[in-house]
Amino acid sequence: MFGLFSLTSYSQVNYEFYGALKLNGNDKTLITYRLVFTEQNGKISGYSVTDLDGAHETKNVISGTYDKSKKQFSFQEREILYTKSKFDENSFCFVNFTGKVKLVENTSKLEGAFKGLFNNKTKCIDGTMTLIGSNKIYNLVNKVNKKLQGSKKIDAKTKSESNPIKLIDSLKINKLSKDQNLNVFWESNVLKLDIWDNGQEDGDIINVYHNNKLILSEYSVTNKKKTINITLIGKNDIFKIVAVNEGKIKPNTAKLELHDKNRSFELLATLNKEEEASITIVKKPAN
């Protein structure tokens, strides 16, 4: 599942790909994968997301190169931005890919073998990658959706809930559900937190805690952003979101955006009444 984007400058093009990683071994595990990057003058920069909307969803910084004349494309995952996984940071296996790729709008595919390396460059598990440009996927999904929406045998509720375009779009959102914890690797000593409802206001109320101290009590989430600036006090600062109610439309939903220097992280908390989820801000060691 994947694709590319539009020209943003004379020589800069943005690309987006979706697909899966297949790990070597007897179980032949498949892991969903999204790759978003910019190519400018042969330089690749962007990010990857592994295990989309899964229990181990992880976002990494990527960098690499592209030789248009030789159609040689390479990238390496090099830094974790966030992860839902409970594994230690040093146990993460990073994707390193080099292969023949022709980056052409709507028809691009990325496939071939990749090497898995730990942070210290020692070998972990290898596998193969199969990715498709998002524009091509959306073209195919649009055709499927037109047939679905035009069918007289399917009721309106099912059509809405089964809309494949909404499904693809939902994979781009980092969702935080009951009892999940998101580890975000942080650079600064402060956190700016924005909270709002990016959909229909329906009376959702939440509590927010910082290291078990209540910092936002019975807050009604609205379309207007609520901004909180927090000083971080340790290596790991834990923020907990608790749903006080479910409003008029289940579940309780709150859009959160975390700002760290020149980086930001968006996520959507989706909780039923009295459920909770958390965000752990992991302070990166100073260089």
Side-chain angles (χ1 to χ4, degrees):
M1 327 170 184
F2 324 17
L4 22 141
F5 286 156
S6 58
L7 262 112
T8 56
S9 72
Y10 178 73
S11 59
Q12 177 177 305
V13 185
N14 293 328
Y15 294 84
E16 180 184 30
F17 290 79
Y18 290 86
L21 306 178
K22 184 178 182 181
L23 305 182
N24 292 344
N26 294 331
D27 63 350
K28 301 190 184 303
T29 301
L30 285 175
I31 301 172
T32 52
Y33 199 68
R34 180 177 176 228
L35 190 66
V36 180
F37 63 88
T38 295
E39 185 274 322
Q40 185 172 26
N41 301 325
K43 299 293 184 181
I44 299 294
S45 61
Y47 63 87
S48 64
V49 183
T50 308
D51 191 26
L52 303 174
D53 199 26
H56 301 290
E57 180 177 312
T58 301
K59 183 176 183 179
N60 295 287
V61 173
I62 69 157
S63 61
T65 59
Y66 178 58
D67 188 325
K68 186 176 181 180
S69 61
K70 296 180 180 178
K71 298 181 179 61
Q72 188 80 359
F73 177 84
S74 67
F75 77 88
Q76 305 81 39
E77 294 177 339
R78 59 180 180 83
E79 178 188 354
I80 301 172
L81 292 172
Y82 70 69
T83 183
K84 291 180 181 176
S85 178
K86 296 179 181 179
F87 298 140
D88 182 85
E89 183 181 2
N90 294 323
S91 70
F92 278 86
C93 189
F94 293 97
V95 171
N96 292 255
F97 175 85
T98 297
K100 290 280 187 179
V101 177
K102 185 178 181 180
L103 293 180
V104 180
E105 190 172 359
N106 289 323
T107 60
S108 290
K109 292 180 70 176
L110 267 174
E111 53 187 349
F114 68 85
K115 293 182 178 179
L117 299 175
F118 290 118
N119 234 343
N120 62 5
K121 302 304 179 184
T122 58
K123 187 175 180 179
C124 41
I125 188 166
D126 299 338
T128 56
M129 174 188 300
T130 304
L131 308 178
I132 303 170
S134 63
N135 283 0
K136 188 170 185 178
I137 285 184
Y138 274 103
N139 287 341
L140 294 172
V141 168
N142 269 317
K143 292 178 181 179
V144 173
N145 191 49
K146 283 182 180 179
K147 290 183 179 180
L148 174 67
Q149 301 303 323
S151 174
K152 296 180 180 180
K153 298 180 180 179
I154 303 174
D155 62 85
K157 185 175 184 292
T158 302
K159 287 179 180 180
S160 177
E161 293 176 348
S162 304
N163 188 322
I165 297 175
K166 289 183 179 179
L167 175 61
I168 297 295
D169 287 340
S170 72
L171 295 176
K172 298 182 181 183
I173 302 171
N174 179 12
K175 293 186 283 293
L176 200 57
S177 304
K178 176 185 176 183
D179 296 333
Q180 286 189 329
N181 175 70
L182 182 73
N183 299 293
V184 183
F185 295 88
W186 210 254
E187 294 182 348
S188 67
N189 294 317
V190 295
L191 179 149
K192 176 185 173 185
L193 175 63
D194 290 332
I195 305 172
W196 74 101
D197 190 332
N198 68 329
Q200 179 182 342
E201 290 184 11
D202 65 331
D204 289 334
I205 298 174
I206 61 171
N207 286 335
V208 179
Y209 297 81
H210 174 210
N211 294 338
N212 290 321
K213 179 182 178 181
L214 184 63
I215 60 172
L216 196 61
S217 177
E218 297 194 356
Y219 176 68
S220 295
V221 185
T222 69
N223 295 145
K224 183 179 179 180
K225 288 186 179 180
K226 170 72 173 179
T227 299
I228 310 173
N229 293 291
I230 304 112
T231 299
L232 303 176
I233 58 177
K235 182 179 179 181
N236 295 341
D237 282 59
I238 301 174
F239 292 84
K240 184 169 66 176
I241 302 98
V242 180
V244 176
N245 70 348
E246 291 174 345
K248 295 178 182 178
I249 306 171
K250 295 182 180 182
N252 180 310
T253 58
K255 192 75 176 283
L256 309 172
E257 185 169 16
L258 292 67
H259 301 272
D260 174 27
K261 290 186 176 179
N262 61 344
R263 305 186 304 176
S264 61
F265 304 85
E266 279 194 7
L267 59 109
L268 181 68
T270 59
L271 303 167
N272 294 322
K273 184 178 180 179
E274 297 182 354
E275 290 182 347
E276 61 184 60
S278 59
I279 303 165
T280 300
I281 302 297
V282 182
K283 187 71 185 300
K284 295 170 63 176
N287 295 329

